[in-house]
């Protein structure tokens, strides 16, 4: 079976973390007999300065027609690229796992939660207006988009071994109409999944509880802005931005990317942590494996995750995590570990 993957190298540390991910993807392709067609779908600041468009039509076409897109961070024009793609391709759910990794320092043990963030609405619709002496932003919440994301969160919780619980995070005591609709729709949707438990938390309490007792969470479902903020907090709690992968999921398309930004302060020095992008590629294989019922893609996802964990537990880490390994070395070492890993019985 052959997979077409759109590749966006992005800006800042984007191209170098992508170069570290290439050998990893190549290693699972060889190991599990997955024929991969990687096609350039670049976008971002560099592309804009060359072509005038942050997201050229051609890149959009490549992403639309591919099985999935693997995306590195883009710089200043992130809103013109990823926010636009999420809305244009209706990538309705943003999945952001936060999990302790072996050998990665975190003040908290036993963190294994997933934030499912609504990805197309809320204040991120960009409906902002200025007037003399002020500005207004409009917030959009619909039953349809909320139900889709709540359904995704319910199925995810049902398939995990962590208490099978969905926590809806909102602020309906203040935002009675928008968050009232969001929480009501989540409650009704999750109730259709008999074996999934449900509770609710105000966003300020959720921000506090994430640092107080992150191990108590399983799956969090929330709206776009709260999810954006809480997922950075959760990523830091679990070990840092350099380790946090994510997926933007729609019916027809999906884009996988690290949670971190383009980090221009360290770009070009071969020191950036490529784990978030490498683990995003594992999420991509897992998503495609489930969608296409293809066992070899699931094996590819497992192999990438196991190899990353094995390296980290041996202390092979980039400088942000206290190690001395370079970005490129880390990628080639993960690839080598995949090639020599014993075959599962
Ligand atoms: P944005 O593109 O959203 O403006 P940014 O460039 O500020 O983001 P963040 O993701 O917010 O980057 O990261 C903040 C800082 O954390 C970076 O400036 C960098 O020093 C560090 N950092 C982020 N990602 C990584 C990484 N993958 N490896 C090492 N350090 C990182």
């Amino acid at each position: 079976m052959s997979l077409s993957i759109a590749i966006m190298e992005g800006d800042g540390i984007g191209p170098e973390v992508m170069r570290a991910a290439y050998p990893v993807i190549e290693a699972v392709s060889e190991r599990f007999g997955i024929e991969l067609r990687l096609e350039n779908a670049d976008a971002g600041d560099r592309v804009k300065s060359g072509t005038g468009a942050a997201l050229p039509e051609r890149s959009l076409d490549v992403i639309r027609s591919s099985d999935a897109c693997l995306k590195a961070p883009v710089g200043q024009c992130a809103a013109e690229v990823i926010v636009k793609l999420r809305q244009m391709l209706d990538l309705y759910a943003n999945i952001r796992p936060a999990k302790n990794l072996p050998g990665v320092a975190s003040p908290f043990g036993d963190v294994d939660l997933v934030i499912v963030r609504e990805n197309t609405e809320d204040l991120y619709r960009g409906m902002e207006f200025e007037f003399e002496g002020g500005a207004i932003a409009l917030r959009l919440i619909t039953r349809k988009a909320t139900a889709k994301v709540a359904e995704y969160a319910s199925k995810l919780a049902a398939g995990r071994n962590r208490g099978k619980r969905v926590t809806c995070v909102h602020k309906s005591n203040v935002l009675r109409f928008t968050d009232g609709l969001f929480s009501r729709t989540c409650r009704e949707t999750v109730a259709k999944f008999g074996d999934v438990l449900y509770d609710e938390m105000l966003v300020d309490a959720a921000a506090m509880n994430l640092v107080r007792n992150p191990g108590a969470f399983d799956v969090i479902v929330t709206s776009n802005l709260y999810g954006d903020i809480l997922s950075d907090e959760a990523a830091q709690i679990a070990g840092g931005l350099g380790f946090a992968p994510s997926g933007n999921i729609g019916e027809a398309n999906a884009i996988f990317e690290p949670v971190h930004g383009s980090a221009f302060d360290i770009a070009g020095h071969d020191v950036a942590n490529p784990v978030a992008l490498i683990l995003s590629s594992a999420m991509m294989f897992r998503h495609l494996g489930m969608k296409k019922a293809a066992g070899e893609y699931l094996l590819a996802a497992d192999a990438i995750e196991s190899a990353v964990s094995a390296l980290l537990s041996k202390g092979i880490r980039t400088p942000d995590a206290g190690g001395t390994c370079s970005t490129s070395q880390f990628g080639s070492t993960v690839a080598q570990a995949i090639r020599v890993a014993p075959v599962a019985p």
Side-chain angles (χ1 to χ4, degrees), residues 236-318:
Q236 195 56 48
I237 283 163
L241 276 177
F243 295 98
S246 79
N248 302 272
I249 311 291
E251 300 296 344
N253 299 102
I255 299 179
F256 297 84
E257 59 176 345
V259 169
H260 64 74
S262 36
F264 284 100
D265 54 332
I266 54 165
H269 297 285
D270 202 19
V271 294
N273 189 344
V275 169
L277 182 64
I278 292 173
L279 291 180
S280 300
S281 76
M283 276 182 86
M284 176 182 79
F285 282 112
R286 193 171 304 290
H287 169 76
L288 293 172
M290 309 280 266
K291 189 173 170 185
K292 294 173 183 277
E296 64 272 36
Y297 304 162
L298 298 176
L299 290 174
D302 289 345
I304 295 171
E305 286 168 358
S306 304
V308 168
S309 290
L311 259 60
L312 294 175
S313 56
K314 283 186 203 153
I316 301 173
R317 296 187 287 256
T318 45

Side-chain angles (χ1 to χ4, degrees), residues 10-306:
D11 302 305
I13 58 171
E16 55 202 287
V17 288
M18 189 62 85
R19 278 196 298 275
Y22 285 140
V24 175
I25 299 172
E26 208 175 280
V28 287
S29 151
E30 282 168 22
R31 178 92 201 232
F32 301 104
I34 303 169
E35 195 189 314
L36 286 181
R37 277 181 291 114
L38 304 185
E39 209 170 333
N40 175 26
D42 219 354
D45 297 350
R46 259 182 320 111
V47 172
K48 189 173 183 177
S49 65
T51 66
L55 177 62
E57 278 299 317
R58 191 196 161 273
S59 296
L60 185 58
D61 289 344
V62 170
I63 295 169
R64 258 194 227 282
S65 59
S66 299
D67 288 300
C69 172
L70 187 62
K71 173 190 168 294
V74 297
Q76 294 299 313
C77 43
E80 292 167 69
V81 178
I82 189 64
V83 179
K84 207 165 151 188
L85 279 168
R86 286 168 181 160
Q87 290 171 8
M88 288 173 92
L89 304 178
D90 193 20
L91 306 175
Y92 63 88
N94 191 327
I95 314 303
R96 296 187 164 193
K99 186 176 176 180
N100 296 126
L101 288 167
V104 177
S106 154
F108 307 96
D110 192 35
V111 181
D112 182 2
L113 61 92
V114 184
I115 297 184
V116 178
R117 159 187 169 194
E118 200 292 320
N119 217 12
T120 60
E121 301 193 330
D122 200 353
L123 287 164
Y124 287 24
R125 283 307 274 225
M127 294 185 285
E128 283 198 296
F129 311 95
E130 278 182 314
F131 60 87
E132 185 64 38
I136 292 177
L138 294 181
R139 182 175 198 228
L140 173 75
I141 301 286
T142 67
R143 185 184 299 281
K144 189 175 169 202
T146 307
K148 273 162 79 170
V149 85
E151 189 174 321
Y152 192 98
S154 305
K155 287 181 181 160
L156 186 69
R160 277 162 54 86
N161 256 340
R162 270 303 277 202
K164 305 197 186 307
R165 189 157 49 88
V166 171
T167 302
C168 171
V169 170
H170 59 81
K171 189 74 183 172
S172 69
N173 56 338
V174 176
L175 298 166
R176 288 186 299 123
F177 294 116
T178 48
D179 271 349
L181 175 65
F182 188 86
S183 55
R184 202 165 54 248
T185 307
C186 285
R187 202 176 311 137
E188 289 165 5
T189 307
V190 180
K192 293 179 192 151
F193 294 79
D195 53 345
V196 177
L197 302 173
Y198 176 79
D199 60 9
E200 294 182 7
M201 208 174 276
L202 295 177
V203 64
D204 41 347
M208 179 183 69
N209 286 326
L210 269 175
V211 285
R212 199 163 65 169
N213 187 13
F217 288 97
D218 181 7
V219 174
I220 293 174
V221 64
T222 192
S223 50
N224 210 338
L225 174 64
Y226 305 151
D228 192 6
I229 298 166
L230 293 180
S231 58
D232 269 31
E233 185 188 353
Q236 195 56 48
I237 283 163
L241 276 177
F243 295 98
S246 79
N248 302 272
I249 311 291
E251 300 296 344
N253 299 102
I255 299 179
F256 297 84
E257 59 176 345
V259 169
H260 64 74
S262 36
F264 284 100
D265 54 332
I266 54 165
H269 297 285
D270 202 19
V271 294
N273 189 344
V275 169
L277 182 64
I278 292 173
L279 291 180
S280 300
S281 76
M283 276 182 86
M284 176 182 79
F285 282 112
R286 193 171 304 290
H287 169 76
L288 293 172
M290 309 280 266
K291 189 173 170 185
K292 294 173 183 277
E296 64 272 36
Y297 304 162
L298 298 176
L299 290 174
D302 289 345
I304 295 171
E305 286 168 358
S306 304

